[in-house]
Amino acid sequence: MLDTFFYKENFKLESGAVLQQYRLAYTTYGTLNKAGDNVIWIFHALTANSNPDEWWPGLVGEGKLFDPANYFIVCVNMPGSCYGSVGPLDKMDETPVDTGDNVWFHNFPFFTPRDMVRAYMPLRIFLGIKKIYIGIGGSMGGQQVLEWAIEEPDLFGYILPIATNAIHSPWGIAFNATQRLCIEADPSWMDKQPEAGISGMKVARAIALISYRNYDTYQLSQAETDGNLIGPFKSESYQRYQGEKLARRFNAFSYYKLTQSMDSHNVGRGRGNVRTALKSIRAKTLVIGIENDILFPPREQQFLADNINGASLNLISSLYGHDGFLLEYQQIEKLISSFIGQQITTEATAGGSKHLGSFQKK
């Protein structure tokens, strides 16, 4: 069920900016138990929405790893996005206006991943959630998982950060900064119109895709069969298509701000250092990486596992590089089921089902 949560008190961001109120679009599946602890909280990545059954259909749904028959599943659209939560195309306040002068546009204050999870905390209380059984997310979603597990160490039973990191790398920041340069180079970018910068965003997305995939991905899917061809080539058409595809569902303002949000990710900020912050996590942790991920390379997941007490690390293989966290659901399901199964409590149901529903608390 898609719903909206309104928080109508001052909310201070890490940047020092203060929002007088904010709104979160969120989706729930299943029913919260009386103890308020049968919760799977899913965190989405950069341009996704709060409906994981759409972008993670191999893991979420009836008979799947995360089955609403067993769990209360929650996913929130991150602030700054364009799928219902507060974002750049919203009005700065609730006063009706006839012009765009009261719309945030370029002035929308970006949320760090830490700001995002702090914004989710009142929603958790509103929903009656006492304990989150599993927190899971990939890429930028994984960054939020880590932040929340540090902010509230006793809240999570398990966390499953996938293809993510403790601090966004110079390499990752360079990719995001280059994408923002593309948007800034669009002559329409400074216009106060919802479609401003959209051509630049198409180029930005094409650049991003190269970091999400790798050499082997393109070699298999975009190689030419005609050895005499001098153009146009499949790879070029594919890049154009990916830009057009995103432009049909996203806007440049959200894209610009969310890449800044990702760049700001650093669990050690204000907490001594990164290692100290990670060691404060108490949830049982399975870190999952992708062997040929060039954007979030496995060394970053190894660092997480080395510094979170008792954490386990597993790598999966994927032709799709970083995007494998969205596509390799069979490998991910197997790893999660095995990890939870090995640490099951006496309250869990016995049995050999591959579904995590077999491990639910009664």
Side-chain angles (χ1 to χ4, degrees):
M1 179 178 68
L2 179 64
D3 211 334
T4 305
F5 171 74
F6 295 92
Y7 186 77
K8 296 188 176 182
E9 298 180 26
N10 286 350
F11 183 74
K12 187 175 182 178
L13 303 175
E14 282 197 273
S15 66
V18 177
L19 275 73
Q20 295 181 345
Q21 57 189 343
Y22 65 82
R23 173 183 85 249
L24 296 175
Y26 68 98
T27 301
T28 62
Y29 311 83
T31 303
L32 185 67
N33 63 12
K34 291 183 179 180
D37 64 356
N38 65 328
V39 179
I40 308 293
W41 198 296
I42 298 174
F43 300 80
H44 71 76
L46 185 70
T47 64
N49 57 31
S50 66
N51 299 298
D53 61 334
E54 293 181 4
W55 47 266
W56 239 1
L59 293 174
V60 180
E62 183 180 354
K64 303 295 176 60
L65 181 69
F66 301 127
D67 191 334
N70 300 319
Y71 299 107
F72 184 58
I73 302 167
V74 182
C75 184
V76 183
N77 181 225
M78 68 177 77
S81 185
C82 58
Y83 290 112
S85 291
V86 61
L89 298 186
D90 288 327
K91 296 174 184 177
M92 297 181 189
D93 55 45
E94 295 302 312
T95 304
V97 291
D98 296 322
T99 69
D101 293 340
N102 197 39
V103 176
W104 285 110
F105 289 125
H106 310 82
N107 296 319
F108 183 73
F110 82 91
F111 283 65
T112 68
R114 191 177 305 175
D115 290 326
M116 291 176 181
V117 302
R118 287 174 176 171
Y120 304 158
M121 290 175 184
L123 172 60
R124 173 186 71 80
I125 295 170
F126 171 78
L127 292 173
I129 295 170
K130 303 294 193 301
K131 181 90 172 179
I132 297 176
Y133 185 45
I134 295 174
I136 180 172
S139 194
M140 192 173 179
Q143 293 175 340
Q144 294 173 69
V145 171
L146 294 168
E147 278 289 352
W148 203 349
I150 294 168
E151 284 282 287
E152 297 190 279
D154 295 321
L155 179 62
F156 293 86
Y158 298 88
I159 61 168
L160 309 171
I162 306 172
T164 193
N165 51 19
I167 178 171
H168 208 48
S169 68
W171 172 250
I173 293 171
F175 265 108
N176 285 340
T178 302
Q179 293 175 68
R180 291 193 295 272
L181 288 173
C182 293
I183 294 173
E184 292 169 5
D186 185 328
S188 72
W189 170 234
M190 294 312 297
D191 295 344
K192 291 183 177 181
Q193 298 293 335
E195 64 274 13
I198 202 70
S199 293
M201 190 190 74
K202 293 177 184 178
V203 181
R205 187 62 167 185
I207 291 172
L209 194 71
I210 296 172
S211 71
Y212 300 158
R213 306 295 173 85
N214 57 48
Y215 180 96
D216 292 332
T217 311
Y218 282 83
Q219 187 65 26
L220 181 67
S221 62
Q222 305 302 323
E224 304 294 339
T225 56
D226 182 356
N228 297 317
L229 187 68
I230 60 173
F233 297 103
K234 291 181 181 178
S235 290
E236 180 178 358
S237 297
Y238 185 65
Q239 295 301 99
R240 291 182 184 277
Y241 164 74
Q242 289 296 334
E244 294 287 346
K245 183 180 177 182
L246 182 68
R248 289 195 293 269
R249 66 178 182 87
F250 222 72
N251 70 75
F253 296 99
S254 286
Y255 199 86
Y256 194 99
K257 289 295 183 178
L258 290 179
T259 59
Q260 287 183 321
S261 298
M262 180 181 285
D263 290 351
S264 73
H265 173 60
N266 180 350
V267 300
R269 184 172 52 249
R271 295 169 174 152
N273 57 60
V274 175
R275 287 185 171 85
T276 299
L278 292 175
K279 290 186 183 303
S280 71
I281 293 175
R282 296 175 190 162
K284 297 180 179 68
T285 303
L286 171 64
V287 182
I288 299 176
I290 301 169
E291 291 175 351
N292 56 355
D293 187 342
I294 64 172
L295 185 57
F296 291 79
R299 72 188 72 171
E300 295 192 323
Q301 291 86 63
Q302 183 69 62
F303 181 84
L304 293 174
D306 288 345
N307 289 282
I308 298 174
N309 293 327
S312 297
L313 171 67
N314 284 105
L315 299 180
I316 64 174
S317 59
S318 176
L319 174 66
Y320 300 99
H322 182 64
D323 271 354
F325 84 89
L326 292 170
L327 303 170
E328 304 294 348
Y329 62 88
Q330 290 180 327
Q331 292 187 67
I332 292 171
E333 176 182 354
K334 183 177 179 180
L335 290 177
I336 295 173
S337 296
S338 176
F339 178 73
I340 302 292
Q342 289 170 5
Q343 305 196 45
I344 196 169
T345 68
T346 56
E347 295 177 292
T349 305
S353 170
K354 69 177 181 177
H355 297 298
L356 213 133
S358 298
F359 306 145
Q360 71 161 2
K361 293 181 178 179
K362 294 296 186 181

